[in-house]
Amino acid sequence: DIQMTQSPSSLSASVGDRVTITCRASQTLSSYLNWYQQKPGKGPKLLIYAASSLQSGVPSRFSGSGSGTDFTLTISSLQPEDFATYYCQQSYINPDTFGQGTKLEIK
Amino acid sequence: EVQLVESGGGLVQPGGSLRLSCAASGFTFSSYEMNWVRQAPGKGLEWVSHISSSGSPIYYADSVKGRFTISRDNAKNSLYLQMNSLRAEDTAVYYCARRTYAGNSRTFDYWGQGTLVTVSS
């Protein structure tokens, strides 16, 4: 299975900050990489698909980039509702696998 | 509005069985592939099983192959997961998730709120 490694595992930031989360794959994925946001007690929400495409309804402060093995999720100006856990997911090779998550906390 | 509502979770002893259900609404259920994804307490996400829109093909994670069975009833807009020979390591919140193909990716574009399965004596 493809291993997905996110960094950092946790991150403290303030409202208005620019934040970047990194996801690295154990082998190349082309651009078959998605990002999700999960809040406590809820199912994940799709934010970014195909590495850089914004899912409908997701605010434009979220962006994704990368290809091959290295990908990033950037939040340009943190809002209070963005404090959550973020996961990357590869869909290049079965089975789909997820990163371990990055918990974004309020500083 | 797309809605996925899981049910059927609970406490079960090791070796026991449980059947999860996922009721879908707000979209043409019979047109979409569906999946189960689980999350152990305080842990990350793990894909469990996939079923095509027609019911075949079906795929399972190695960790549940031979013990879990996914199925669907398109007439009832429902997805199921029959879980047998349950182990402590199957303890998790189980989510049903809709599969969509967008750009160069397969995604899970809608998820339910999950149902908790606890395997313990």
Side-chain angles (χ1 to χ4, degrees), chain A residues 32-34 36 38 42-44 87 91 94 96 98, chain B residues 39 45 95 99 102 104-108 111-112:
Chain A
Y32 289 71
L33 190 283
N34 308 312
Y36 299 85
Q38 186 179 32
K42 302 286 190 180
Y87 292 93
S91 61
N94 290 328
D96 290 16
F98 295 84
Chain B
Q39 185 171 35
L45 299 161
Y95 297 99
R99 172 74 90 188
N104 276 348
S105 260
R106 304 190 298 259
T107 74
F108 301 112
W111 300 62

mmCIF file with all atom_site columns, all heavy atoms in Angstrom, chain A residues 32-34 36 38 42-44 87 91 94 96 98, chain B residues 39 45 95 99 102 104-108 111-112:
data_model
loop_
_atom_site.group_PDB
_atom_site.id
_atom_site.type_symbol
_atom_site.label_atom_id
_atom_site.label_alt_id
_atom_site.label_comp_id
_atom_site.label_asym_id
_atom_site.label_entity_id
_atom_site.label_seq_id
_atom_site.pdbx_PDB_ins_code
_atom_site.Cartn_x
_atom_site.Cartn_y
_atom_site.Cartn_z
_atom_site.occupancy
_atom_site.B_iso_or_equiv
_atom_site.pdbx_formal_charge
_atom_site.auth_seq_id
_atom_site.auth_comp_id
_atom_site.auth_asym_id
_atom_site.auth_atom_id
_atom_site.pdbx_PDB_model_num
ATOM 1   N N   . TYR A 1 32  ? -3.150  12.523 -8.183  1.00 0.00 ? 32  TYR A N   1
ATOM 2   C CA  . TYR A 1 32  ? -4.284  11.823 -7.594  1.00 0.00 ? 32  TYR A CA  1
ATOM 3   C C   . TYR A 1 32  ? -4.281  11.990 -6.073  1.00 0.00 ? 32  TYR A C   1
ATOM 4   O O   . TYR A 1 32  ? -4.141  11.034 -5.305  1.00 0.00 ? 32  TYR A O   1
ATOM 5   C CB  . TYR A 1 32  ? -4.255  10.337 -7.952  1.00 0.00 ? 32  TYR A CB  1
ATOM 6   C CG  . TYR A 1 32  ? -4.562  10.031 -9.395  1.00 0.00 ? 32  TYR A CG  1
ATOM 7   C CD1 . TYR A 1 32  ? -3.656  10.348 -10.400 1.00 0.00 ? 32  TYR A CD1 1
ATOM 8   C CD2 . TYR A 1 32  ? -5.749  9.422  -9.758  1.00 0.00 ? 32  TYR A CD2 1
ATOM 9   C CE1 . TYR A 1 32  ? -3.934  10.067 -11.724 1.00 0.00 ? 32  TYR A CE1 1
ATOM 10  C CE2 . TYR A 1 32  ? -6.036  9.117  -11.080 1.00 0.00 ? 32  TYR A CE2 1
ATOM 11  C CZ  . TYR A 1 32  ? -5.116  9.446  -12.064 1.00 0.00 ? 32  TYR A CZ  1
ATOM 12  O OH  . TYR A 1 32  ? -5.392  9.163  -13.372 1.00 0.00 ? 32  TYR A OH  1
ATOM 13  N N   . LEU A 1 33  ? -4.449  13.229 -5.629  1.00 0.00 ? 33  LEU A N   1
ATOM 14  C CA  . LEU A 1 33  ? -4.327  13.543 -4.215  1.00 0.00 ? 33  LEU A CA  1
ATOM 15  C C   . LEU A 1 33  ? -5.475  14.470 -3.806  1.00 0.00 ? 33  LEU A C   1
ATOM 16  O O   . LEU A 1 33  ? -5.750  15.464 -4.495  1.00 0.00 ? 33  LEU A O   1
ATOM 17  C CB  . LEU A 1 33  ? -2.974  14.209 -3.951  1.00 0.00 ? 33  LEU A CB  1
ATOM 18  C CG  . LEU A 1 33  ? -2.458  14.450 -2.523  1.00 0.00 ? 33  LEU A CG  1
ATOM 19  C CD1 . LEU A 1 33  ? -3.127  15.627 -1.832  1.00 0.00 ? 33  LEU A CD1 1
ATOM 20  C CD2 . LEU A 1 33  ? -2.566  13.197 -1.667  1.00 0.00 ? 33  LEU A CD2 1
ATOM 21  N N   . ASN A 1 34  ? -6.133  14.111 -2.713  1.00 0.00 ? 34  ASN A N   1
ATOM 22  C CA  . ASN A 1 34  ? -7.263  14.906 -2.211  1.00 0.00 ? 34  ASN A CA  1
ATOM 23  C C   . ASN A 1 34  ? -6.996  15.335 -0.776  1.00 0.00 ? 34  ASN A C   1
ATOM 24  O O   . ASN A 1 34  ? -6.233  14.693 -0.059  1.00 0.00 ? 34  ASN A O   1
ATOM 25  C CB  . ASN A 1 34  ? -8.545  14.082 -2.254  1.00 0.00 ? 34  ASN A CB  1
ATOM 26  C CG  . ASN A 1 34  ? -8.808  13.464 -3.617  1.00 0.00 ? 34  ASN A CG  1
ATOM 27  O OD1 . ASN A 1 34  ? -8.721  14.138 -4.645  1.00 0.00 ? 34  ASN A OD1 1
ATOM 28  N ND2 . ASN A 1 34  ? -9.115  12.175 -3.637  1.00 0.00 ? 34  ASN A ND2 1
ATOM 29  N N   . TYR A 1 36  ? -9.027  16.662 2.902   1.00 0.00 ? 36  TYR A N   1
ATOM 30  C CA  . TYR A 1 36  ? -10.286 16.691 3.644   1.00 0.00 ? 36  TYR A CA  1
ATOM 31  C C   . TYR A 1 36  ? -10.092 17.452 4.955   1.00 0.00 ? 36  TYR A C   1
ATOM 32  O O   . TYR A 1 36  ? -9.006  17.461 5.529   1.00 0.00 ? 36  TYR A O   1
ATOM 33  C CB  . TYR A 1 36  ? -10.765 15.273 3.973   1.00 0.00 ? 36  TYR A CB  1
ATOM 34  C CG  . TYR A 1 36  ? -11.023 14.423 2.756   1.00 0.00 ? 36  TYR A CG  1
ATOM 35  C CD1 . TYR A 1 36  ? -9.998  13.727 2.138   1.00 0.00 ? 36  TYR A CD1 1
ATOM 36  C CD2 . TYR A 1 36  ? -12.303 14.317 2.215   1.00 0.00 ? 36  TYR A CD2 1
ATOM 37  C CE1 . TYR A 1 36  ? -10.223 12.951 1.018   1.00 0.00 ? 36  TYR A CE1 1
ATOM 38  C CE2 . TYR A 1 36  ? -12.549 13.538 1.090   1.00 0.00 ? 36  TYR A CE2 1
ATOM 39  C CZ  . TYR A 1 36  ? -11.500 12.864 0.502   1.00 0.00 ? 36  TYR A CZ  1
ATOM 40  O OH  . TYR A 1 36  ? -11.739 12.098 -0.613  1.00 0.00 ? 36  TYR A OH  1
ATOM 41  N N   . GLN A 1 38  ? -11.840 17.624 8.849   1.00 0.00 ? 38  GLN A N   1
ATOM 42  C CA  . GLN A 1 38  ? -12.738 16.922 9.749   1.00 0.00 ? 38  GLN A CA  1
ATOM 43  C C   . GLN A 1 38  ? -12.835 17.672 11.075  1.00 0.00 ? 38  GLN A C   1
ATOM 44  O O   . GLN A 1 38  ? -11.816 18.003 11.683  1.00 0.00 ? 38  GLN A O   1
ATOM 45  C CB  . GLN A 1 38  ? -12.288 15.484 10.009  1.00 0.00 ? 38  GLN A CB  1
ATOM 46  C CG  . GLN A 1 38  ? -13.293 14.690 10.840  1.00 0.00 ? 38  GLN A CG  1
ATOM 47  C CD  . GLN A 1 38  ? -12.867 13.257 11.093  1.00 0.00 ? 38  GLN A CD  1
ATOM 48  O OE1 . GLN A 1 38  ? -11.685 12.959 11.194  1.00 0.00 ? 38  GLN A OE1 1
ATOM 49  N NE2 . GLN A 1 38  ? -13.833 12.360 11.189  1.00 0.00 ? 38  GLN A NE2 1
ATOM 50  N N   . LYS A 1 42  ? -17.836 14.728 13.444  1.00 0.00 ? 42  LYS A N   1
ATOM 51  C CA  . LYS A 1 42  ? -18.390 14.835 12.087  1.00 0.00 ? 42  LYS A CA  1
ATOM 52  C C   . LYS A 1 42  ? -17.596 13.982 11.110  1.00 0.00 ? 42  LYS A C   1
ATOM 53  O O   . LYS A 1 42  ? -16.433 13.647 11.346  1.00 0.00 ? 42  LYS A O   1
ATOM 54  C CB  . LYS A 1 42  ? -18.315 16.294 11.605  1.00 0.00 ? 42  LYS A CB  1
ATOM 55  C CG  . LYS A 1 42  ? -19.041 17.286 12.487  1.00 0.00 ? 42  LYS A CG  1
ATOM 56  C CD  . LYS A 1 42  ? -20.524 17.184 12.336  1.00 0.00 ? 42  LYS A CD  1
ATOM 57  C CE  . LYS A 1 42  ? -21.228 18.344 13.042  1.00 0.00 ? 42  LYS A CE  1
ATOM 58  N NZ  . LYS A 1 42  ? -22.702 18.267 12.906  1.00 0.00 ? 42  LYS A NZ  1
ATOM 59  N N   . GLY A 1 43  ? -18.231 13.645 9.975   1.00 0.00 ? 43  GLY A N   1
ATOM 60  C CA  . GLY A 1 43  ? -17.507 13.007 8.899   1.00 0.00 ? 43  GLY A CA  1
ATOM 61  C C   . GLY A 1 43  ? -16.636 14.016 8.179   1.00 0.00 ? 43  GLY A C   1
ATOM 62  O O   . GLY A 1 43  ? -16.881 15.228 8.244   1.00 0.00 ? 43  GLY A O   1
ATOM 63  N N   . PRO A 1 44  ? -15.588 13.549 7.507   1.00 0.00 ? 44  PRO A N   1
ATOM 64  C CA  . PRO A 1 44  ? -14.722 14.466 6.764   1.00 0.00 ? 44  PRO A CA  1
ATOM 65  C C   . PRO A 1 44  ? -15.468 15.205 5.649   1.00 0.00 ? 44  PRO A C   1
ATOM 66  O O   . PRO A 1 44  ? -16.487 14.723 5.145   1.00 0.00 ? 44  PRO A O   1
ATOM 67  C CB  . PRO A 1 44  ? -13.657 13.536 6.175   1.00 0.00 ? 44  PRO A CB  1
ATOM 68  C CG  . PRO A 1 44  ? -13.630 12.355 7.101   1.00 0.00 ? 44  PRO A CG  1
ATOM 69  C CD  . PRO A 1 44  ? -15.059 12.183 7.508   1.00 0.00 ? 44  PRO A CD  1
ATOM 70  N N   . TYR A 1 87  ? -6.746  15.895 6.506   1.00 0.00 ? 87  TYR A N   1
ATOM 71  C CA  . TYR A 1 87  ? -6.196  14.632 6.011   1.00 0.00 ? 87  TYR A CA  1
ATOM 72  C C   . TYR A 1 87  ? -5.954  14.717 4.505   1.00 0.00 ? 87  TYR A C   1
ATOM 73  O O   . TYR A 1 87  ? -6.790  15.260 3.766   1.00 0.00 ? 87  TYR A O   1
ATOM 74  C CB  . TYR A 1 87  ? -7.184  13.479 6.243   1.00 0.00 ? 87  TYR A CB  1
ATOM 75  C CG  . TYR A 1 87  ? -7.401  13.122 7.693   1.00 0.00 ? 87  TYR A CG  1
ATOM 76  C CD1 . TYR A 1 87  ? -8.438  13.689 8.424   1.00 0.00 ? 87  TYR A CD1 1
ATOM 77  C CD2 . TYR A 1 87  ? -6.571  12.201 8.340   1.00 0.00 ? 87  TYR A CD2 1
ATOM 78  C CE1 . TYR A 1 87  ? -8.648  13.356 9.753   1.00 0.00 ? 87  TYR A CE1 1
ATOM 79  C CE2 . TYR A 1 87  ? -6.767  11.867 9.668   1.00 0.00 ? 87  TYR A CE2 1
ATOM 80  C CZ  . TYR A 1 87  ? -7.816  12.446 10.366  1.00 0.00 ? 87  TYR A CZ  1
ATOM 81  O OH  . TYR A 1 87  ? -8.010  12.113 11.681  1.00 0.00 ? 87  TYR A OH  1
ATOM 82  N N   . SER A 1 91  ? -5.555  8.453  -4.320  1.00 0.00 ? 91  SER A N   1
ATOM 83  C CA  . SER A 1 91  ? -6.467  7.566  -5.042  1.00 0.00 ? 91  SER A CA  1
ATOM 84  C C   . SER A 1 91  ? -5.804  7.049  -6.319  1.00 0.00 ? 91  SER A C   1
ATOM 85  O O   . SER A 1 91  ? -6.481  6.689  -7.281  1.00 0.00 ? 91  SER A O   1
ATOM 86  C CB  . SER A 1 91  ? -7.769  8.296  -5.366  1.00 0.00 ? 91  SER A CB  1
ATOM 87  O OG  . SER A 1 91  ? -7.522  9.412  -6.192  1.00 0.00 ? 91  SER A OG  1
ATOM 88  N N   . ASN A 1 94  ? -5.033  1.343  -5.717  1.00 0.00 ? 94  ASN A N   1
ATOM 89  C CA  . ASN A 1 94  ? -5.852  0.705  -4.687  1.00 0.00 ? 94  ASN A CA  1
ATOM 90  C C   . ASN A 1 94  ? -4.961  -0.036 -3.686  1.00 0.00 ? 94  ASN A C   1
ATOM 91  O O   . ASN A 1 94  ? -3.981  -0.663 -4.086  1.00 0.00 ? 94  ASN A O   1
ATOM 92  C CB  . ASN A 1 94  ? -6.802  -0.299 -5.323  1.00 0.00 ? 94  ASN A CB  1
ATOM 93  C CG  . ASN A 1 94  ? -7.894  0.363  -6.135  1.00 0.00 ? 94  ASN A CG  1
ATOM 94  O OD1 . ASN A 1 94  ? -8.336  1.458  -5.811  1.00 0.00 ? 94  ASN A OD1 1
ATOM 95  N ND2 . ASN A 1 94  ? -8.316  -0.289 -7.190  1.00 0.00 ? 94  ASN A ND2 1
ATOM 96  N N   . ASP A 1 96  ? -7.158  3.019  -1.582  1.00 0.00 ? 96  ASP A N   1
ATOM 97  C CA  . ASP A 1 96  ? -7.002  4.408  -1.176  1.00 0.00 ? 96  ASP A CA  1
ATOM 98  C C   . ASP A 1 96  ? -6.408  4.439  0.234   1.00 0.00 ? 96  ASP A C   1
ATOM 99  O O   . ASP A 1 96  ? -6.819  3.662  1.106   1.00 0.00 ? 96  ASP A O   1
ATOM 100 C CB  . ASP A 1 96  ? -8.357  5.110  -1.118  1.00 0.00 ? 96  ASP A CB  1
ATOM 101 C CG  . ASP A 1 96  ? -8.958  5.329  -2.492  1.00 0.00 ? 96  ASP A CG  1
ATOM 102 O OD1 . ASP A 1 96  ? -8.491  4.693  -3.457  1.00 0.00 ? 96  ASP A OD1 1
ATOM 103 O OD2 . ASP A 1 96  ? -9.894  6.126  -2.597  1.00 0.00 ? 96  ASP A OD2 1
ATOM 104 N N   . PHE A 1 98  ? -4.841  7.164  3.481   1.00 0.00 ? 98  PHE A N   1
ATOM 105 C CA  . PHE A 1 98  ? -4.898  8.507  4.042   1.00 0.00 ? 98  PHE A CA  1
ATOM 106 C C   . PHE A 1 98  ? -3.629  8.810  4.843   1.00 0.00 ? 98  PHE A C   1
ATOM 107 O O   . PHE A 1 98  ? -2.996  7.900  5.386   1.00 0.00 ? 98  PHE A O   1
ATOM 108 C CB  . PHE A 1 98  ? -6.092  8.632  4.997   1.00 0.00 ? 98  PHE A CB  1
ATOM 109 C CG  . PHE A 1 98  ? -7.444  8.487  4.343   1.00 0.00 ? 98  PHE A CG  1
ATOM 110 C CD1 . PHE A 1 98  ? -7.988  7.236  4.113   1.00 0.00 ? 98  PHE A CD1 1
ATOM 111 C CD2 . PHE A 1 98  ? -8.167  9.605  3.972   1.00 0.00 ? 98  PHE A CD2 1
ATOM 112 C CE1 . PHE A 1 98  ? -9.226  7.088  3.515   1.00 0.00 ? 98  PHE A CE1 1
ATOM 113 C CE2 . PHE A 1 98  ? -9.417  9.483  3.382   1.00 0.00 ? 98  PHE A CE2 1
ATOM 114 C CZ  . PHE A 1 98  ? -9.943  8.222  3.147   1.00 0.00 ? 98  PHE A CZ  1
ATOM 115 N N   . GLN B 2 39  ? -12.640 4.842  11.355  1.00 0.00 ? 39  GLN B N   1
ATOM 116 C CA  . GLN B 2 39  ? -11.680 5.657  12.102  1.00 0.00 ? 39  GLN B CA  1
ATOM 117 C C   . GLN B 2 39  ? -11.660 5.152  13.543  1.00 0.00 ? 39  GLN B C   1
ATOM 118 O O   . GLN B 2 39  ? -12.627 5.333  14.283  1.00 0.00 ? 39  GLN B O   1
ATOM 119 C CB  . GLN B 2 39  ? -12.090 7.126  12.047  1.00 0.00 ? 39  GLN B CB  1
ATOM 120 C CG  . GLN B 2 39  ? -11.109 8.086  12.674  1.00 0.00 ? 39  GLN B CG  1
ATOM 121 C CD  . GLN B 2 39  ? -11.468 9.543  12.385  1.00 0.00 ? 39  GLN B CD  1
ATOM 122 O OE1 . GLN B 2 39  ? -12.639 9.909  12.319  1.00 0.00 ? 39  GLN B OE1 1
ATOM 123 N NE2 . GLN B 2 39  ? -10.452 10.369 12.198  1.00 0.00 ? 39  GLN B NE2 1
ATOM 124 N N   . LEU B 2 45  ? -7.937  7.809  9.257   1.00 0.00 ? 45  LEU B N   1
ATOM 125 C CA  . LEU B 2 45  ? -8.968  7.182  8.438   1.00 0.00 ? 45  LEU B CA  1
ATOM 126 C C   . LEU B 2 45  ? -8.432  5.952  7.712   1.00 0.00 ? 45  LEU B C   1
ATOM 127 O O   . LEU B 2 45  ? -7.302  5.962  7.210   1.00 0.00 ? 45  LEU B O   1
ATOM 128 C CB  . LEU B 2 45  ? -9.490  8.198  7.421   1.00 0.00 ? 45  LEU B CB  1
ATOM 129 C CG  . LEU B 2 45  ? -10.126 9.451  8.040   1.00 0.00 ? 45  LEU B CG  1
ATOM 130 C CD1 . LEU B 2 45  ? -10.178 10.577 7.018   1.00 0.00 ? 45  LEU B CD1 1
ATOM 131 C CD2 . LEU B 2 45  ? -11.517 9.125  8.563   1.00 0.00 ? 45  LEU B CD2 1
ATOM 132 N N   . TYR B 2 95  ? -17.927 5.155  8.737   1.00 0.00 ? 95  TYR B N   1
ATOM 133 C CA  . TYR B 2 95  ? -18.569 6.142  7.882   1.00 0.00 ? 95  TYR B CA  1
ATOM 134 C C   . TYR B 2 95  ? -18.929 5.521  6.544   1.00 0.00 ? 95  TYR B C   1
ATOM 135 O O   . TYR B 2 95  ? -18.124 4.760  5.976   1.00 0.00 ? 95  TYR B O   1
ATOM 136 C CB  . TYR B 2 95  ? -17.632 7.309  7.594   1.00 0.00 ? 95  TYR B CB  1
ATOM 137 C CG  . TYR B 2 95  ? -17.195 8.117  8.783   1.00 0.00 ? 95  TYR B CG  1
ATOM 138 C CD1 . TYR B 2 95  ? -15.959 7.912  9.384   1.00 0.00 ? 95  TYR B CD1 1
ATOM 139 C CD2 . TYR B 2 95  ? -18.004 9.127  9.294   1.00 0.00 ? 95  TYR B CD2 1
ATOM 140 C CE1 . TYR B 2 95  ? -15.546 8.659  10.465  1.00 0.00 ? 95  TYR B CE1 1
ATOM 141 C CE2 . TYR B 2 95  ? -17.593 9.887  10.382  1.00 0.00 ? 95  TYR B CE2 1
ATOM 142 C CZ  . TYR B 2 95  ? -16.370 9.641  10.957  1.00 0.00 ? 95  TYR B CZ  1
ATOM 143 O OH  . TYR B 2 95  ? -15.964 10.403 12.022  1.00 0.00 ? 95  TYR B OH  1
ATOM 144 N N   . ARG B 2 99  ? -18.596 7.865  -3.560  1.00 0.00 ? 99  ARG B N   1
ATOM 145 C CA  . ARG B 2 99  ? -17.427 7.985  -4.440  1.00 0.00 ? 99  ARG B CA  1
ATOM 146 C C   . ARG B 2 99  ? -17.795 8.836  -5.656  1.00 0.00 ? 99  ARG B C   1
ATOM 147 O O   . ARG B 2 99  ? -18.838 8.654  -6.258  1.00 0.00 ? 99  ARG B O   1
ATOM 148 C CB  . ARG B 2 99  ? -17.004 6.590  -4.909  1.00 0.00 ? 99  ARG B CB  1
ATOM 149 C CG  . ARG B 2 99  ? -15.929 6.604  -5.960  1.00 0.00 ? 99  ARG B CG  1
ATOM 150 C CD  . ARG B 2 99  ? -14.602 6.963  -5.364  1.00 0.00 ? 99  ARG B CD  1
ATOM 151 N NE  . ARG B 2 99  ? -13.865 5.795  -4.908  1.00 0.00 ? 99  ARG B NE  1
ATOM 152 C CZ  . ARG B 2 99  ? -12.742 5.874  -4.201  1.00 0.00 ? 99  ARG B CZ  1
ATOM 153 N NH1 . ARG B 2 99  ? -12.240 7.046  -3.872  1.00 0.00 ? 99  ARG B NH1 1
ATOM 154 N NH2 . ARG B 2 99  ? -12.129 4.784  -3.817  1.00 0.00 ? 99  ARG B NH2 1
ATOM 155 N N   . ALA B 2 102 ? -13.512 13.065 -10.182 1.00 0.00 ? 102 ALA B N   1
ATOM 156 C CA  . ALA B 2 102 ? -13.379 14.481 -10.518 1.00 0.00 ? 102 ALA B CA  1
ATOM 157 C C   . ALA B 2 102 ? -11.945 14.747 -10.952 1.00 0.00 ? 102 ALA B C   1
ATOM 158 O O   . ALA B 2 102 ? -11.010 14.422 -10.224 1.00 0.00 ? 102 ALA B O   1
ATOM 159 C CB  . ALA B 2 102 ? -13.726 15.342 -9.306  1.00 0.00 ? 102 ALA B CB  1
ATOM 160 N N   . ASN B 2 104 ? -8.490  14.365 -12.086 1.00 0.00 ? 104 ASN B N   1
ATOM 161 C CA  . ASN B 2 104 ? -7.610  13.197 -12.063 1.00 0.00 ? 104 ASN B CA  1
ATOM 162 C C   . ASN B 2 104 ? -7.702  12.445 -10.753 1.00 0.00 ? 104 ASN B C   1
ATOM 163 O O   . ASN B 2 104 ? -6.735  11.818 -10.326 1.00 0.00 ? 104 ASN B O   1
ATOM 164 C CB  . ASN B 2 104 ? -6.163  13.636 -12.293 1.00 0.00 ? 104 ASN B CB  1
ATOM 165 C CG  . ASN B 2 104 ? -5.859  13.780 -13.761 1.00 0.00 ? 104 ASN B CG  1
ATOM 166 O OD1 . ASN B 2 104 ? -6.623  13.348 -14.607 1.00 0.00 ? 104 ASN B OD1 1
ATOM 167 N ND2 . ASN B 2 104 ? -4.752  14.421 -14.059 1.00 0.00 ? 104 ASN B ND2 1
ATOM 168 N N   . SER B 2 105 ? -8.845  12.507 -10.104 1.00 0.00 ? 105 SER B N   1
ATOM 169 C CA  . SER B 2 105 ? -8.921  11.836 -8.801  1.00 0.00 ? 105 SER B CA  1
ATOM 170 C C   . SER B 2 105 ? -10.251 11.144 -8.585  1.00 0.00 ? 105 SER B C   1
ATOM 171 O O   . SER B 2 105 ? -11.285 11.611 -9.048  1.00 0.00 ? 105 SER B O   1
ATOM 172 C CB  . SER B 2 105 ? -8.727  12.851 -7.676  1.00 0.00 ? 105 SER B CB  1
ATOM 173 O OG  . SER B 2 105 ? -7.421  12.844 -7.168  1.00 0.00 ? 105 SER B OG  1
ATOM 174 N N   . ARG B 2 106 ? -10.177 10.046 -7.841  1.00 0.00 ? 106 ARG B N   1
ATOM 175 C CA  . ARG B 2 106 ? -11.370 9.504  -7.201  1.00 0.00 ? 106 ARG B CA  1
ATOM 176 C C   . ARG B 2 106 ? -11.458 10.205 -5.859  1.00 0.00 ? 106 ARG B C   1
ATOM 177 O O   . ARG B 2 106 ? -10.445 10.316 -5.174  1.00 0.00 ? 106 ARG B O   1
ATOM 178 C CB  . ARG B 2 106 ? -11.236 8.008  -6.927  1.00 0.00 ? 106 ARG B CB  1
ATOM 179 C CG  . ARG B 2 106 ? -10.931 7.100  -8.077  1.00 0.00 ? 106 ARG B CG  1
ATOM 180 C CD  . ARG B 2 106 ? -11.078 5.668  -7.624  1.00 0.00 ? 106 ARG B CD  1
ATOM 181 N NE  . ARG B 2 106 ? -10.142 5.322  -6.572  1.00 0.00 ? 106 ARG B NE  1
ATOM 182 C CZ  . ARG B 2 106 ? -9.017  4.632  -6.767  1.00 0.00 ? 106 ARG B CZ  1
ATOM 183 N NH1 . ARG B 2 106 ? -8.667  4.287  -7.976  1.00 0.00 ? 106 ARG B NH1 1
ATOM 184 N NH2 . ARG B 2 106 ? -8.241  4.329  -5.737  1.00 0.00 ? 106 ARG B NH2 1
ATOM 185 N N   . THR B 2 107 ? -12.621 10.642 -5.492  1.00 0.00 ? 107 THR B N   1
ATOM 186 C CA  . THR B 2 107 ? -12.780 11.299 -4.194  1.00 0.00 ? 107 THR B CA  1
ATOM 187 C C   . THR B 2 107 ? -13.943 10.673 -3.440  1.00 0.00 ? 107 THR B C   1
ATOM 188 O O   . THR B 2 107 ? -14.780 9.965  -4.015  1.00 0.00 ? 107 THR B O   1
ATOM 189 C CB  . THR B 2 107 ? -13.077 12.795 -4.353  1.00 0.00 ? 107 THR B CB  1
ATOM 190 O OG1 . THR B 2 107 ? -14.436 12.968 -4.801  1.00 0.00 ? 107 THR B OG1 1
ATOM 191 C CG2 . THR B 2 107 ? -12.150 13.459 -5.347  1.00 0.00 ? 107 THR B CG2 1
ATOM 192 N N   . PHE B 2 108 ? -13.970 10.961 -2.150  1.00 0.00 ? 108 PHE B N   1
ATOM 193 C CA  . PHE B 2 108 ? -15.160 10.699 -1.344  1.00 0.00 ? 108 PHE B CA  1
ATOM 194 C C   . PHE B 2 108 ? -15.800 12.066 -1.119  1.00 0.00 ? 108 PHE B C   1
ATOM 195 O O   . PHE B 2 108 ? -15.330 12.831 -0.274  1.00 0.00 ? 108 PHE B O   1
ATOM 196 C CB  . PHE B 2 108 ? -14.766 10.055 -0.013  1.00 0.00 ? 108 PHE B CB  1
ATOM 197 C CG  . PHE B 2 108 ? -14.024 8.760  -0.149  1.00 0.00 ? 108 PHE B CG  1
ATOM 198 C CD1 . PHE B 2 108 ? -12.688 8.656  0.206   1.00 0.00 ? 108 PHE B CD1 1
ATOM 199 C CD2 . PHE B 2 108 ? -14.663 7.621  -0.633  1.00 0.00 ? 108 PHE B CD2 1
ATOM 200 C CE1 . PHE B 2 108 ? -12.008 7.447  0.084   1.00 0.00 ? 108 PHE B CE1 1
ATOM 201 C CE2 . PHE B 2 108 ? -13.987 6.414  -0.749  1.00 0.00 ? 108 PHE B CE2 1
ATOM 202 C CZ  . PHE B 2 108 ? -12.654 6.328  -0.396  1.00 0.00 ? 108 PHE B CZ  1
ATOM 203 N N   . TRP B 2 111 ? -19.867 12.361 3.086   1.00 0.00 ? 111 TRP B N   1
ATOM 204 C CA  . TRP B 2 111 ? -19.708 11.394 4.160   1.00 0.00 ? 111 TRP B CA  1
ATOM 205 C C   . TRP B 2 111 ? -20.885 11.507 5.124   1.00 0.00 ? 111 TRP B C   1
ATOM 206 O O   . TRP B 2 111 ? -21.460 12.590 5.291   1.00 0.00 ? 111 TRP B O   1
ATOM 207 C CB  . TRP B 2 111 ? -18.424 11.686 4.950   1.00 0.00 ? 111 TRP B CB  1
ATOM 208 C CG  . TRP B 2 111 ? -17.155 11.649 4.186   1.00 0.00 ? 111 TRP B CG  1
ATOM 209 C CD1 . TRP B 2 111 ? -16.781 12.440 3.132   1.00 0.00 ? 111 TRP B CD1 1
ATOM 210 C CD2 . TRP B 2 111 ? -16.038 10.793 4.441   1.00 0.00 ? 111 TRP B CD2 1
ATOM 211 N NE1 . TRP B 2 111 ? -15.519 12.125 2.721   1.00 0.00 ? 111 TRP B NE1 1
ATOM 212 C CE2 . TRP B 2 111 ? -15.030 11.114 3.512   1.00 0.00 ? 111 TRP B CE2 1
ATOM 213 C CE3 . TRP B 2 111 ? -15.787 9.782  5.381   1.00 0.00 ? 111 TRP B CE3 1
ATOM 214 C CZ2 . TRP B 2 111 ? -13.793 10.463 3.480   1.00 0.00 ? 111 TRP B CZ2 1
ATOM 215 C CZ3 . TRP B 2 111 ? -14.567 9.136  5.353   1.00 0.00 ? 111 TRP B CZ3 1
ATOM 216 C CH2 . TRP B 2 111 ? -13.583 9.483  4.411   1.00 0.00 ? 111 TRP B CH2 1
ATOM 217 N N   . GLY B 2 112 ? -21.205 10.404 5.780   1.00 0.00 ? 112 GLY B N   1
ATOM 218 C CA  . GLY B 2 112 ? -22.175 10.463 6.860   1.00 0.00 ? 112 GLY B CA  1
ATOM 219 C C   . GLY B 2 112 ? -21.527 10.947 8.143   1.00 0.00 ? 112 GLY B C   1
ATOM 220 O O   . GLY B 2 112 ? -20.343 11.305 8.161   1.00 0.00 ? 112 GLY B O   1
#
